[in-house]
PDB file of all heavy atoms in Angstrom:
ATOM      1  N   ARG A1035     -89.923 -17.070  58.684  1.00 92.00           N
ATOM      2  CA  ARG A1035     -89.598 -16.607  57.336  1.00 92.00           C
ATOM      3  C   ARG A1035     -88.388 -15.670  57.371  1.00 92.00           C
ATOM      4  O   ARG A1035     -87.534 -15.710  56.495  1.00 92.00           O
ATOM      5  CB  ARG A1035     -90.825 -15.890  56.731  1.00 92.00           C
ATOM      6  CG  ARG A1035     -90.608 -15.305  55.353  1.00 92.00           C
ATOM      7  CD  ARG A1035     -90.296 -16.372  54.316  1.00 92.00           C
ATOM      8  NE  ARG A1035     -90.106 -15.763  53.010  1.00 92.00           N
ATOM      9  CZ  ARG A1035     -89.370 -16.287  52.051  1.00 92.00           C
ATOM     10  NH1 ARG A1035     -88.756 -17.446  52.250  1.00 92.00           N
ATOM     11  NH2 ARG A1035     -89.250 -15.684  50.892  1.00 92.00           N
ATOM     12  N   LEU A1036     -88.312 -14.844  58.407  1.00 93.00           N
ATOM     13  CA  LEU A1036     -87.170 -13.932  58.511  1.00 93.00           C
ATOM     14  C   LEU A1036     -85.883 -14.733  58.724  1.00 93.00           C
ATOM     15  O   LEU A1036     -84.829 -14.374  58.166  1.00 93.00           O
ATOM     16  CB  LEU A1036     -87.359 -12.922  59.643  1.00 93.00           C
ATOM     17  CG  LEU A1036     -86.296 -11.815  59.601  1.00 93.00           C
ATOM     18  CD1 LEU A1036     -86.621 -10.802  58.521  1.00 93.00           C
ATOM     19  CD2 LEU A1036     -86.131 -11.134  60.934  1.00 93.00           C
ATOM     20  N   CYS A1037     -85.981 -15.831  59.488  1.00 92.00           N
ATOM     21  CA  CYS A1037     -84.810 -16.695  59.685  1.00 92.00           C
ATOM     22  C   CYS A1037     -84.355 -17.234  58.331  1.00 92.00           C
ATOM     23  O   CYS A1037     -83.162 -17.255  58.022  1.00 92.00           O
ATOM     24  CB  CYS A1037     -85.139 -17.856  60.626  1.00 92.00           C
ATOM     25  SG  CYS A1037     -85.566 -17.309  62.277  1.00 92.00           S
ATOM     26  N   ALA A1038     -85.341 -17.659  57.525  1.00 91.00           N
ATOM     27  CA  ALA A1038     -85.001 -18.212  56.212  1.00 91.00           C
ATOM     28  C   ALA A1038     -84.364 -17.145  55.321  1.00 91.00           C
ATOM     29  O   ALA A1038     -83.397 -17.410  54.611  1.00 91.00           O
ATOM     30  CB  ALA A1038     -86.255 -18.779  55.554  1.00 91.00           C
ATOM     31  N   LEU A1039     -84.919 -15.939  55.375  1.00 92.00           N
ATOM     32  CA  LEU A1039     -84.402 -14.863  54.519  1.00 92.00           C
ATOM     33  C   LEU A1039     -82.973 -14.491  54.901  1.00 92.00           C
ATOM     34  O   LEU A1039     -82.136 -14.228  54.040  1.00 92.00           O
ATOM     35  CB  LEU A1039     -85.298 -13.620  54.594  1.00 92.00           C
ATOM     36  CG  LEU A1039     -86.680 -13.717  53.947  1.00 92.00           C
ATOM     37  CD1 LEU A1039     -87.449 -12.416  54.158  1.00 92.00           C
ATOM     38  CD2 LEU A1039     -86.565 -13.994  52.453  1.00 92.00           C
ATOM     39  N   THR A1040     -82.687 -14.438  56.213  1.00 92.00           N
ATOM     40  CA  THR A1040     -81.355 -14.003  56.651  1.00 92.00           C
ATOM     41  C   THR A1040     -80.375 -15.163  56.706  1.00 92.00           C
ATOM     42  O   THR A1040     -79.166 -14.954  56.709  1.00 92.00           O
ATOM     43  CB  THR A1040     -81.419 -13.380  58.054  1.00 92.00           C
ATOM     44  OG1 THR A1040     -82.022 -14.338  58.940  1.00 92.00           O
ATOM     45  CG2 THR A1040     -82.230 -12.100  58.060  1.00 92.00           C
ATOM     46  N   GLY A1041     -80.900 -16.392  56.791  1.00 90.00           N
ATOM     47  CA  GLY A1041     -80.019 -17.553  56.954  1.00 90.00           C
ATOM     48  C   GLY A1041     -79.533 -17.700  58.388  1.00 90.00           C
ATOM     49  O   GLY A1041     -78.566 -18.411  58.657  1.00 90.00           O
ATOM     50  N   LEU A1042     -80.185 -17.008  59.337  1.00 90.00           N
ATOM     51  CA  LEU A1042     -79.791 -17.078  60.750  1.00 90.00           C
ATOM     52  C   LEU A1042     -80.945 -17.668  61.553  1.00 90.00           C
ATOM     53  O   LEU A1042     -82.105 -17.588  61.144  1.00 90.00           O
ATOM     54  CB  LEU A1042     -79.470 -15.679  61.288  1.00 90.00           C
ATOM     55  CG  LEU A1042     -78.292 -14.956  60.611  1.00 90.00           C
ATOM     56  CD1 LEU A1042     -78.237 -13.500  61.066  1.00 90.00           C
ATOM     57  CD2 LEU A1042     -76.976 -15.668  60.934  1.00 90.00           C
ATOM     58  N   SER A1043     -80.620 -18.248  62.726  1.00 88.00           N
ATOM     59  CA  SER A1043     -81.671 -18.815  63.573  1.00 88.00           C
ATOM     60  C   SER A1043     -82.300 -17.697  64.399  1.00 88.00           C
ATOM     61  O   SER A1043     -81.725 -16.604  64.545  1.00 88.00           O
ATOM     62  CB  SER A1043     -81.087 -19.872  64.496  1.00 88.00           C
ATOM     63  OG  SER A1043     -80.239 -19.236  65.426  1.00 88.00           O
ATOM     64  N   ALA A1044     -83.482 -18.012  64.966  1.00 84.00           N
ATOM     65  CA  ALA A1044     -84.156 -17.032  65.816  1.00 84.00           C
ATOM     66  C   ALA A1044     -83.264 -16.661  66.992  1.00 84.00           C
ATOM     67  O   ALA A1044     -83.189 -15.493  67.391  1.00 84.00           O
ATOM     68  CB  ALA A1044     -85.489 -17.595  66.297  1.00 84.00           C
ATOM     69  N   GLN A1045     -82.549 -17.648  67.522  1.00 81.00           N
ATOM     70  CA  GLN A1045     -81.658 -17.393  68.658  1.00 81.00           C
ATOM     71  C   GLN A1045     -80.571 -16.386  68.289  1.00 81.00           C
ATOM     72  O   GLN A1045     -80.210 -15.519  69.076  1.00 81.00           O
ATOM     73  CB  GLN A1045     -80.992 -18.696  69.081  1.00 81.00           C
ATOM     74  CG  GLN A1045     -81.645 -19.314  70.312  1.00 81.00           C
ATOM     75  CD  GLN A1045     -80.922 -20.587  70.703  1.00 81.00           C
ATOM     76  OE1 GLN A1045     -80.370 -21.279  69.854  1.00 81.00           O
ATOM     77  NE2 GLN A1045     -80.969 -20.899  71.985  1.00 81.00           N
ATOM     78  N   GLN A1046     -80.036 -16.570  67.055  1.00 87.00           N
ATOM     79  CA  GLN A1046     -78.980 -15.657  66.614  1.00 87.00           C
ATOM     80  C   GLN A1046     -79.518 -14.253  66.370  1.00 87.00           C
ATOM     81  O   GLN A1046     -78.808 -13.267  66.529  1.00 87.00           O
ATOM     82  CB  GLN A1046     -78.342 -16.177  65.320  1.00 87.00           C
ATOM     83  CG  GLN A1046     -77.491 -17.417  65.515  1.00 87.00           C
ATOM     84  CD  GLN A1046     -77.077 -18.011  64.172  1.00 87.00           C
ATOM     85  OE1 GLN A1046     -77.923 -18.307  63.330  1.00 87.00           O
ATOM     86  NE2 GLN A1046     -75.792 -18.211  63.999  1.00 87.00           N
TER      87      GLN A1046
END
Side-chain angles (χ1 to χ4, degrees):
Chain A
R1035 178 63 180 154
L1036 190 77
C1037 297
L1039 290 178
T1040 55
L1042 298 170
S1043 68
Q1045 259 181 330
Q1046 289 171 305

